[in-house]
Amino acid sequence: MASKFIFVTGGVTSSLGKGIISASLAKLLQARGFSVTIQKFDPYINIDPGTLNPYEHGECFVTDDGAETDLDLGHYERFLNTATSQANNVTTGKIYHHVITQERQGAYLGKTVQVVPHITDEIKRRMLLLGQSGEFDVVITEIGGCVGDIESLPFIESVRQLRWELPPNDSLVIHLTLLPYLKAAGELKTKPTQHSVKALSEAGVQPDILVCRSEYAIPMEMRKKIALFCNVQINSVIESLDAETIYDVPLLMKKEKLDERVIKKLKLTGGTTDPDLDAWKEFLGRLKNPTEEVTIGLVGKYVELPDAYKSIIEAFIHAGAQNECKVKLKTYQSEHLDRETVTSQLKDLDGILVAPGFGQRGFDGKIETIRFARENNIPFFGICLGMQCAAIEFARNVLNIKDATSTEMEPESKNPVIDMMEDQKQITQMGGTMRLGAYVCELKKGSKAFAAYGKHKITERHRHRYEFNNKYLKAFEDNGMVASGINPETGLVEVIELQNHPWFVAAQYHPELKSTVQNPHPLFVKFVRAAIQYAKSKKNIA
């Protein structure tokens, strides 16, 4: 069977949740036995989000094959429990880069290179790519931005062309829109949705299904009105209410029969009559009925924007549910923490996570945070820069190397406990040049990391330039900081942990990127468990 294609567009405003709706629909189809993948087409001209400040675009999600991608790919993986790749995220920058490279190589035989057909042909080629692998029954393509944006026009035009070129019933368009509630009038308004569909229609694309985001239930009369003015069937007007958690959305979409409408319109055959969501409901049951509660401090430099640490926040939700524990996350701007304030700020926490990041800002606050966690036996988890800070703090305060630092912060450092890899030193370009993607790590038996994973060999995703300097490894291990995870090919340290501490583990890689609803990440699960035990011990003392 050839793949079927679903295109998800958005209107009225951004941040309506196209990624969550796409992932929820994919989950429902997957739960019926179909193989599904999702891809994101972003209209910005950056080649990828790797060089974007997290305040601009939220976190940068990294795939196994080393692609720096949009954070929506994180939702896809968490919902579907299947890995995405380079092919699942395409930007305008990638499209133009490819077309211009082709032109320079003479591939267009002297023709004038234009948006139509050259840019749109390349967009269409990429839209169809995953469908041609023979792996998937359905390919869902989410188009970033809003209908009517100049940047989105070539993507909408490509969808228009594909609708003509693909066989009937092989594609459909879902348009996500907003029904704002006007307090003064006391009612929902359909006009923005009508205008949004009109703009999409003017670009030559008629949506098959409308998903309407709303804070209030949509009355049947209003559904009829939307159907009439927007040229869709009444049962294709889908209500999407604000949910308690994003993990409720697949069940809400099932209730609205979104998957049934899609299956009917695409004439999909071979799936089960009802989606098997038992495991999903079980997860939601644990998530909503916790028996424990812990407060964990997330210390980072981008805490004002929760999306900057999206995967970490979601990994705590998965690990919390696994432990039947409500994880309350308190965020701390590392810039505002120092030796004077750290005790008063962090003393009531049950666990502390120092987050990844780049650059000098907030670096000293992270060092002080780790010292506090180490000296007070509070469960600690460090990720990427958090692991590097843990090494520097240990070198300064335990090994007494007062000028220990990272060459990222001080290029001329005499004691670079964290140093740039040799093969990185010649690189001048910023984008896509770090150690990226999945690498093997071997864990030491008897370590906390080994106990968490329950196996010797693991693979985890990386995104960094700087590494632990092995010149200092013996001194570290002699003083109780063990390298419990090593890359077998390079000998690089991947995990460090403190021996005489209830739970002090730091990883050079990004474990949060592999946590899913179905497979919560073992390090997060064990960290939350350690926090529960610490919270109980505090109560016993009190």
Side-chain angles (χ1 to χ4, degrees):
M1 176 182 129
S3 293
K4 307 269 190 178
F5 295 89
I6 298 170
F7 300 100
V8 180
T9 58
V12 184
T13 171
S14 59
S15 302
L16 283 182
K18 291 191 296 292
I20 302 296
I21 292 294
S22 301
S24 298
L25 172 59
K27 182 75 222 168
L28 292 173
L29 294 173
Q30 186 191 57
R32 286 173 177 267
F34 297 108
S35 60
V36 190
T37 190
I38 320 179
Q39 52 189 2
K40 173 85 185 275
F41 279 63
D42 267 310
Y44 52 76
I45 295 173
N46 303 62
I47 298 280
D48 57 45
T51 54
L52 288 174
N53 184 319
Y55 285 134
E56 286 277 324
H57 207 72
E59 77 172 6
C60 175
F61 189 81
V62 179
T63 58
D64 276 342
D65 63 353
E68 293 177 288
T69 69
D70 184 79
L71 62 80
D72 273 335
L73 267 70
H75 290 312
Y76 307 161
E77 291 201 6
R78 287 188 282 273
F79 274 61
L80 296 180
N81 199 42
T82 53
T84 53
S85 72
Q86 196 99 32
N88 292 75
N89 192 200
V90 178
T91 65
T92 294
K94 275 185 187 162
I95 300 288
Y96 274 83
H97 186 266
H98 178 83
V99 169
I100 290 165
T101 304
Q102 291 279 90
E103 184 272 331
R104 292 289 83 188
Q105 292 168 355
Y108 300 117
L109 301 173
K111 287 234 181 344
T112 306
V113 178
Q114 294 175 291
V115 174
V116 182
H118 300 99
I119 296 296
T120 51
D121 279 354
E122 178 57 17
I123 294 172
K124 287 191 295 182
R125 183 183 76 80
R126 303 244 187 166
M127 283 177 169
L128 298 175
L129 211 53
L130 288 168
Q132 289 158 353
S133 66
E135 285 177 64
F136 305 108
D137 302 321
V138 180
V139 177
I140 298 175
T141 302
E142 179 197 340
I143 293 170
C146 266
V147 167
D149 293 350
I150 289 172
E151 297 99 323
S152 297
L153 281 173
F155 294 102
I156 302 296
E157 169 59 18
S158 302
V159 172
R160 183 195 70 77
Q161 292 177 25
L162 278 177
R163 297 297 307 273
W164 279 101
E165 291 165 14
L166 290 166
N169 306 114
D170 270 17
S171 69
L172 69 81
V173 173
I174 296 173
H175 189 55
L176 186 64
T177 165
L178 177 70
L179 294 183
Y181 180 79
L182 287 192
K183 219 177 203 173
E187 62 179 354
L188 293 166
K189 288 294 180 185
T190 65
K191 192 59 78 179
T193 292
Q194 293 176 43
H195 278 297
S196 181
V197 173
K198 186 182 175 203
L200 190 57
S201 302
E202 281 172 353
V205 176
Q206 169 60 42
D208 300 282
I209 295 171
L210 288 180
V211 176
C212 302
R213 279 298 305 272
S214 171
E215 293 174 29
Y216 299 93
I218 305 168
M220 185 48 74
E221 279 308 304
M222 190 165 280
R223 290 195 195 218
K224 284 178 182 169
K225 182 180 176 182
I226 292 166
L228 177 67
F229 283 108
C230 298
N231 295 333
V232 295
Q233 293 159 316
I234 188 160
N235 57 4
S236 293
V237 178
I238 305 289
E239 171 186 275
S240 175
L241 297 175
D242 293 353
E244 187 187 334
T245 159
I246 57 169
Y247 300 108
D248 279 331
V249 178
L251 299 180
L252 295 172
M253 289 301 103
K254 178 180 180 287
K255 195 173 156 210
E256 282 289 296
K257 301 189 169 140
L258 174 62
D259 52 332
E260 286 181 34
R261 297 300 303 145
V262 165
I263 285 165
K264 197 171 176 193
K265 284 182 178 292
L266 289 176
K267 293 194 164 44
L268 269 171
T269 55
T272 57
T273 49
D274 221 26
D276 176 10
L277 293 166
D278 290 349
W280 194 268
K281 287 174 182 167
E282 215 172 282
F283 159 75
L284 277 172
R286 288 197 306 273
L287 180 65
K288 292 182 177 186
N289 301 289
T291 56
E292 311 277 359
E293 185 176 301
V294 294
T295 305
I296 287 174
L298 171 60
V299 178
K301 60 187 272 195
Y302 306 112
V303 293
E304 292 82 359
L305 182 76
D307 272 1
Y309 301 114
K310 192 70 186 159
S311 291
I312 290 174
I313 292 166
E314 298 305 318
F316 273 122
I317 290 171
H318 309 152
Q322 183 80 356
N323 285 295
E324 295 186 21
C325 173
K326 180 182 171 71
V327 177
K328 286 175 74 177
L329 274 186
K330 278 184 83 172
T331 56
Y332 296 88
Q333 171 55 262
S334 55
E335 263 188 301
H336 301 159
L337 293 168
D338 54 36
R339 196 165 275 250
E340 278 68 56
T341 60
V342 72
T343 304
S344 60
Q345 292 276 320
L346 308 180
K347 67 178 189 306
D348 296 327
L349 297 173
D350 304 314
I352 294 171
L353 182 141
V354 171
F358 294 92
Q360 178 73 48
R361 186 167 67 84
F363 177 69
D364 293 331
K366 290 181 177 180
I367 300 278
E368 281 305 318
T369 297
I370 295 163
R371 180 189 62 78
F372 178 77
R374 180 179 58 77
E375 291 178 354
N376 292 283
N377 284 332
I378 299 169
F380 168 76
F381 191 10
I383 296 176
C384 200
L385 182 63
M387 176 268 204
Q388 296 172 5
C389 289
I392 292 164
E393 189 279 328
F394 188 81
R396 286 181 185 178
N397 298 322
V398 178
L399 303 183
N400 223 19
I401 309 170
K402 293 302 176 193
D403 60 347
T405 190
S406 163
T407 47
E408 180 183 2
M409 312 308 161
E410 287 181 43
E412 303 304 317
S413 167
K414 289 187 172 60
N415 276 300
V417 172
I418 303 296
D419 199 4
M420 190 180 272
M421 297 178 289
E422 281 306 316
D423 59 350
Q424 288 282 326
K425 287 181 179 173
Q426 309 311 316
I427 291 170
T428 53
Q429 286 207 326
M430 296 289 283
T433 54
M434 290 178 275
R435 180 145 80 106
L436 289 164
Y439 287 84
V440 173
C441 170
E442 288 180 352
L443 302 173
K444 273 190 185 158
K445 288 195 167 142
S447 66
K448 287 186 173 65
F450 183 87
Y453 285 94
K455 56 185 178 185
H456 174 54
K457 191 176 268 194
I458 58 163
T459 60
E460 290 284 0
R461 297 175 189 176
H462 291 250
R463 183 175 183 250
H464 58 95
R465 275 195 177 81
Y466 297 84
E467 302 281 357
F468 182 86
N469 186 341
N470 282 348
K471 275 200 305 197
Y472 297 87
L473 186 54
K474 187 175 185 312
F476 266 67
E477 298 207 315
D478 288 347
N479 287 275
M481 180 74 90
V482 175
S484 57
I486 303 275
N487 181 304
E489 287 165 32
T490 58
L492 293 169
V493 174
E494 303 279 31
V495 188
I496 57 173
E497 54 185 75
L498 208 49
Q499 285 183 305
N500 302 319
H501 192 285
W503 210 90
F504 188 107
V505 178
Q508 178 64 85
Y509 49 77
H510 288 262
E512 72 276 17
L513 299 178
K514 289 185 84 166
S515 186
T516 68
V517 168
Q518 216 167 310
N519 287 312
H521 196 282
L523 287 181
F524 277 89
V525 172
K526 282 290 197 288
F527 177 49
V528 170
R529 200 162 296 163
I532 293 169
Q533 283 161 356
Y534 180 75
K536 282 180 177 167
S537 71
K538 278 197 303 188
K539 277 180 191 163
N540 292 341
I541 293 164

